[in-house]
Amino acid sequence: MEALKMLISSMELGSQEEVLRALEKEGFKLTQATLSRDLKQLKVAKAASMNGKYVYVLPNDTMYKRITKPQSAMEMLQSSGFVSINFSMNIGVIKTRPGYASSIAYNIDASDIPQIIGTIAGDDTIIIVIKEGVEHEEVIEALSAVIPNIR
């Protein structure tokens, strides 16, 4: 299911046949019936892409964001979804790939990092509130236990 979500968010796939071929290229063999059930379970819809072609989109993908440099599903499964982090005083903004923010924020909250008061997550952005007086480098160091490729 994760591979299916990643393919849909990174490619313009307009038919179940195209989805099955993309999954097969990644080493996943599904029947059309299984794919149909998975698409329904994920609440996948079709929407017009920038070029007017109707393609599958995931729910919450309100802007139908596409990844500009597609990776293979296997590469995506091995990465944490983390893209970047920037700070403004005691606020940190973490950018993720579409759909990853809530799970990363959950992991940050569950880690009880003493330098971080809390998180708020959207689809591809996390706001972290940092305790006063904590250096940004210290936050990055603490987050590296949760987000290995944060450096």
Side-chain angles (χ1 to χ4, degrees), residues 51-67:
N51 64 13
K53 177 183 165 191
Y54 277 83
V55 295
Y56 288 112
V57 292
L58 295 168
N60 300 333
D61 228 354
T62 49
M63 298 306 290
Y64 309 122
K65 297 177 196 115
R66 295 281 165 214
I67 297 167

Side-chain angles (χ1 to χ4, degrees), residues 15-79:
S15 70
Q16 288 190 7
E17 193 174 296
E18 288 178 17
V19 176
L20 285 170
R21 276 198 307 265
L23 283 166
E24 201 166 310
K25 256 170 85 174
E26 297 294 337
F28 298 94
K29 189 86 171 119
L30 266 70
T31 65
Q32 189 276 326
T34 301
L35 174 62
S36 187
R37 187 194 68 230
D38 288 351
L39 291 172
K40 187 175 183 176
Q41 193 176 347
L42 288 171
K43 295 179 175 53
V44 170
K46 273 196 168 180
S49 68
M50 294 301 214
N51 64 13
K53 177 183 165 191
Y54 277 83
V55 295
Y56 288 112
V57 292
L58 295 168
N60 300 333
D61 228 354
T62 49
M63 298 306 290
Y64 309 122
K65 297 177 196 115
R66 295 281 165 214
I67 297 167
T68 52
K69 194 184 123 237
Q71 295 178 297
S72 76
M74 286 304 178
E75 286 174 311
M76 287 187 261
L77 284 169
Q78 291 167 357
S79 92

Side-chain angles (χ1 to χ4, degrees), residues 59-145:
N60 300 333
D61 228 354
T62 49
M63 298 306 290
Y64 309 122
K65 297 177 196 115
R66 295 281 165 214
I67 297 167
T68 52
K69 194 184 123 237
Q71 295 178 297
S72 76
M74 286 304 178
E75 286 174 311
M76 287 187 261
L77 284 169
Q78 291 167 357
S79 92
S80 69
F82 170 81
V83 173
S84 66
I85 186 167
N86 287 292
F87 297 95
S88 177
M89 298 176 59
N90 74 322
I91 304 282
V93 176
I94 298 174
K95 294 303 246 170
T96 72
R97 288 205 325 273
Y100 279 78
S102 62
S103 62
I104 292 173
Y106 174 83
N107 290 338
I108 292 169
D109 291 338
S111 296
D112 286 326
I113 297 170
Q115 296 89 336
I116 296 174
I117 295 171
T119 65
I120 300 171
D123 183 53
D124 64 357
T125 306
I126 304 166
I127 301 292
I128 58 172
V129 179
I130 303 158
K131 284 187 178 170
E132 283 188 50
V134 173
E135 295 293 321
H136 298 159
E137 277 304 312
E138 194 180 335
V139 174
I140 290 172
E141 183 66 38
L143 284 171
S144 68

